[in-house]
Every structure is written in structure tokens, then in C-alpha cells.
Amino acid sequence: MNLWPIFPISIWYPVSSQHRCLTSKDEGNVVTMLKCPNCICEISLAMSQQLALKTAGSMRVSFPILELLHLRLQDMMRMLTLPNGFLGNSTL
């Protein structure tokens, strides 16, 4: 990631109704991208409970250029619980 120029990053998944579940490779890519909070301008994710737990730590920092945030669980029967300090408390 250090070699990449600074461009705004949009994280969207699923990208179509045919691809509803993230693969383990997709989850790894999401976790990697979340390590660049200064570049992320949009996040729209339908994620597994496992990915939500994995990314909770990464999302305890501020995302200064974030303009859109849409998080949901793939399992519609469960509620997505956000941790204390989510987005570095910048949403308060």
C-alpha cells in the first residue's frame, strides 16, 4: 500500500445482486483497505459477522474524507453492533 499514490478509495460490496457474499479473499482485501483511513471516501458493505469483528479494530480511527458509510450484515436477522470508539468518535 505504501507504493500507491494517494487516491480516494471507495469500498463497495456487493457490487451486484449476483455477488452477495464476500469471499475470504474479498474479506482480506477489505481489511487491507481499511488500514488506509486517510484515503477512504466511501464504504458500503454487506459483511459477515466474522468480518465485522475483524474490522472493528481498524475502524476505531478517524476517516477524514469519508462521505458515505453504509454497513450491514449479510445475515439480515442479526443487528450490527458498532464498538465504542467507532470511527475515532468522529461520528458523535
Side-chain angles (χ1 to χ4, degrees), residues 8-22:
I9 297 171
S10 293
I11 302 172
W12 283 73
Y13 208 93
V15 293
S16 73
S17 59
Q18 296 174 344
H19 300 96
R20 293 192 181 263
C21 295
L22 288 160

Side-chain angles (χ1 to χ4, degrees), residues 2-84:
N2 294 335
L3 300 175
W4 291 12
I6 298 175
F7 288 111
I9 297 171
S10 293
I11 302 172
W12 283 73
Y13 208 93
V15 293
S16 73
S17 59
Q18 296 174 344
H19 300 96
R20 293 192 181 263
C21 295
L22 288 160
T23 65
S24 57
K25 181 180 176 183
D26 295 330
E27 287 189 5
N29 288 338
V30 168
V31 170
T32 299
M33 291 283 84
L34 290 174
K35 293 178 182 175
C36 300
N38 292 332
C39 299
I40 298 173
C41 62
E42 298 177 332
I43 302 172
S44 180
L45 283 174
M47 64 178 93
S48 65
Q49 182 71 28
Q50 179 182 358
L51 180 60
L53 294 173
K54 259 194 234 180
T55 59
S58 300
M59 299 197 67
R60 289 186 180 194
V61 298
S62 178
F63 286 67
I65 66 169
L66 187 67
E67 295 177 1
L68 177 119
L69 178 65
H70 186 200
L71 300 175
R72 59 210 174 279
L73 288 176
Q74 290 171 345
D75 178 0
M76 300 303 256
M77 300 306 289
R78 293 184 178 202
M79 178 181 266
L80 180 61
T81 304
L82 301 174
N84 289 337

